[in-house]
Amino acid sequence: MQTFQTEETRPFRELCADHGLTVTHQRQVLYEVMQTMPGHPSPEEVYARVKRRIPAISLATVYKNIHLFVERGVLKEVSMHHGSLRVELNSHLHHHMVCSHCKAITDLDEKDLGELPALQSLPGGFQAERYAIDVIGICAACQKAKRS
Amino acid sequence: MQTFQTEETRPFRELCADHGLTVTHQRQVLYEVMQTMPGHPSPEEVYARVKRRIPAISLATVYKNIHLFVERGVLKEVSMHHGSLRVELNSHLHHHMVCSHCKAITDLDEKDLGELPALQSLPGGFQAERYAIDVIGICAACQKAKRS
DNA sequence: ATAGCTGCAAATCGTTTGCGCCATG
DNA sequence: CATGGCGCAAACGATTTGCAGCTAT
């Protein structure tokens, strides 16, 4: 029987090893900070938080590592509808609701969507790995705002 | 019985009226040009084409009108995975396949996905209007490239 | 008439890059 | 000690803005 650990609880050194990344202080803090930011932060937002713990860190380093993390599958890139890159920890299966009015992004558990079609035999021999579903609509707050 | 016309065939003046837009020469050409660009063009690409018919047009005007069109539902904003805005005419129901390797985007007819869950009773009182589904995977070309 | 649109140029924003120094393996 | 990562500052591309003159309704 195999021990099961999520990426959140597994020690950071091990996670880096798994993804072929060198362990550095900056990366560790970056990762820890992202664990405390459950939303879909922009690089600037992550930078602001990390800076509280490593005041000398550079925005360029944050960008470089976010990209590295995305490439290696530690982070996932999220949705469009923003002028800037948004990321989230690559954890459990979920999708997003995007308000077409205020652009807010909310998580949507995959099971709230009901049964999804199987990913097979797509045109052009495309080999599918996963869905990224955005449900576009109006969030509750904007519905209220429009009524008034 | 009601006459059915797609947005592609309906005269431009009517389309503008429907969406509360003033009719201008620039907008008409912009729209016509987009009809001949079936992919997911960037503002620069649209600009280059429009410029052939209105040499004096400004890139700023293209941006302003693309945004206006998106706001009013004439155009749809497409996927991420690009460093720039991508749009397409808001015509028939389809989604996208995005190659995680080369970032190419291919259209995917909604019926190729099979039955989708109904959009109702989402958490937080979110009022859904439509899906935007990206199927992430590896395109045929990149599969070949990897094998070699 | 008048509100809205246009082109222009400058400004801004998010992101990337080159490079000399430093840390990790 | 050899790679690879870091911080800095400059560069860059994409997009936005302010404004003065023109256009559609």
Side-chain angles (χ1 to χ4, degrees), chain B residues 40-113:
Chain B
H40 313 92
S42 66
E44 292 276 356
E45 284 161 355
V46 175
Y47 172 62
R49 290 274 203 115
V50 171
K51 201 158 187 166
R52 301 214 293 248
R53 288 177 54 189
I54 312 179
I57 201 172
S58 147
L59 179 56
T61 300
V62 172
Y63 269 102
K64 284 169 190 165
N65 283 316
I66 284 180
H67 281 133
L68 215 45
F69 281 173
V70 170
E71 260 174 43
R72 304 299 230 273
V74 177
L75 292 180
K76 234 172 26 192
E77 196 176 343
V78 166
S79 209
M80 59 195 152
H81 303 292
H82 280 289
S84 74
L85 179 62
R86 298 300 164 114
V87 288
E88 67 184 5
L89 284 185
N90 199 353
S91 45
H92 75 292
L93 269 189
H94 71 277
H95 301 286
H96 298 100
M97 300 186 290
V98 182
C99 177
S100 58
H101 190 247
C102 71
K103 311 294 183 199
I105 300 180
T106 321
D107 284 352
L108 178 61
D109 212 281
E110 179 145 325
K111 65 176 187 295
D112 286 339
L113 274 179

Side-chain angles (χ1 to χ4, degrees), chain A residues 57-71:
Chain A
I57 201 173
S58 147
L59 179 57
T61 300
V62 172
Y63 270 102
K64 285 170 191 163
N65 283 315
I66 284 180
H67 281 133
L68 214 45
F69 281 171
V70 170
E71 261 174 42

